[in-house]
Amino acid sequence: MPSPPLLEIHNLRKSYGAHTVLHDISLELEAGKVMCLIGPSGSGKSTLLKCINHLERIDGGFIRVGEEIIGYRYHHGHLHEMRETDICRQRARIGMVFQSFNLFAHMTVLENIVAAPVRVGNVPRREALARAESLLADVGLSDKAGAYPNELSGGQQQRVGITRALAMDPVLMLFDEPTSALDPELVGDVLEVMTRLAQRGMTMVVVTHEMGFARAVGDTVVFMADGALVEQGPPEQVFTSPRAERTKAFLGMIGERRH
């Protein structure tokens, strides 16, 4: 009997006033797999990612990570939003890396990484420091532990951002276009770290414009447009033999830009 998915999104709907930005999205992701979300800007990819972490309230459907519905609990047959303390507990299991690095400018790299495990996760400081140092070594930044964010390149800051998320030992990692704010020569180092995470079995949902990464690392590629799920499948199928005309048009446009 197959194990249940780690991530289940069921008939998810999200609106801002009269404008619906997500239309009945249903997706599943097994533990240890990578899902890459692609599509034009404004298609709802980043909003979907924020809903998974309950940074955006949903208007219909539900999201489940493991055995827990995110942000809500059932009571008398209806979903009711949890208290903020319970939502924060759930978020601690879901790492998120944004386009912008969001590091605390007044803290060193090491302090940025240990802050959440110590303050939120109640991890002993000595233990948190040891794990932070190990994680920094893993991303090639051991020599930057005492540096401040403004002393780092964009690529280095983003690798610290990934390390900070991993320090909470999440069951799921969300990446919202993590290379979009980087100079081209800095993109490779960040993608290399993400590729290694995937190879080690980290469950990941990645919003990306890096089609090479999606094709090489993704187990599932999901194409979204206008807030709807247009097509999903293995990378080779989506990139080589897309079924939907909207997908074909998008990939054709991407191909033209590269020439």
Side-chain angles (χ1 to χ4, degrees):
M1 184 175 178
S3 58
L6 177 72
L7 170 66
E8 178 188 5
I9 301 171
H10 181 74
N11 289 347
L12 180 65
R13 299 190 306 279
K14 171 66 182 177
S15 300
Y16 295 112
H19 178 52
T20 301
V21 293
L22 293 174
H23 302 265
D24 293 318
I25 303 294
S26 292
L27 291 166
E28 292 185 353
L29 183 62
E30 295 177 15
K33 301 297 185 180
V34 178
M35 177 185 290
C36 292
L37 306 180
I38 66 171
S41 297
S43 58
K45 306 183 301 295
S46 294
T47 301
L48 174 57
L49 216 63
K50 291 173 183 174
C51 288
I52 294 173
N53 215 8
H54 202 67
L55 293 175
E56 292 281 0
R57 290 183 174 91
I58 63 175
D59 297 308
F62 66 82
I63 298 166
R64 189 191 308 273
V65 174
E67 298 181 353
E68 288 193 300
I69 293 175
I70 299 300
Y72 300 87
R73 60 166 50 93
Y74 272 110
H75 185 65
H76 296 311
H78 297 282
L79 286 174
H80 298 270
E81 191 170 25
M82 290 178 170
R83 296 175 302 176
E84 187 63 26
T85 53
D86 294 324
I87 294 170
C88 288
R89 175 187 56 78
Q90 290 184 327
R91 286 196 190 119
R93 302 171 58 236
I94 306 171
M96 188 158 186
V97 179
F98 298 88
Q99 298 175 32
S100 54
F101 317 125
N102 293 332
L103 300 178
F104 297 115
H106 65 288
M107 292 184 181
T108 65
V109 165
L110 196 61
E111 289 298 330
N112 264 280
I113 296 168
V114 303
V118 171
R119 298 177 186 177
V120 179
N122 295 316
V123 175
R125 182 172 176 82
R126 181 175 295 181
E127 181 181 328
L129 284 169
R131 177 159 170 76
E133 289 168 354
S134 175
L135 288 168
L136 282 173
D138 197 39
V139 300
L141 292 175
S142 289
D143 60 331
K144 301 297 183 182
Y148 287 88
N150 65 0
E151 298 173 318
L152 306 179
S153 70
Q156 290 170 333
Q157 289 188 60
Q158 193 59 293
R159 280 184 280 161
V160 173
I162 295 171
T163 302
R164 182 173 64 176
L166 291 173
M168 290 295 288
D169 199 20
V171 298
L172 173 67
M173 283 285 288
L174 310 176
F175 294 86
D176 188 6
E177 297 186 24
T179 60
S180 65
L182 302 179
D183 292 333
E185 66 270 19
L186 302 176
V187 169
D189 289 341
V190 173
L191 293 181
E192 181 182 346
V193 170
M194 294 171 63
T195 300
R196 288 206 308 272
L197 284 177
Q199 291 169 343
R200 294 170 184 172
M202 174 60 73
T203 313
M204 298 161 56
V205 181
V206 185
V207 173
T208 185
H209 291 297
E210 301 289 342
M211 298 300 146
F213 174 87
R215 189 165 191 160
V217 180
D219 294 292
T220 301
V221 172
V222 175
F223 174 71
M224 293 179 63
D226 301 319
L229 196 164
V230 177
E231 183 164 358
Q232 64 174 307
E236 280 304 307
Q237 180 262 302
V238 173
F239 286 110
T240 305
S241 305
R243 300 187 179 98
E245 291 300 321
R246 187 71 179 83
T247 313
K248 294 177 185 177
F250 174 77
L251 294 175
M253 180 178 64
I254 293 294
E256 289 173 5
R257 287 176 180 173
R258 290 177 176 171
H259 296 297

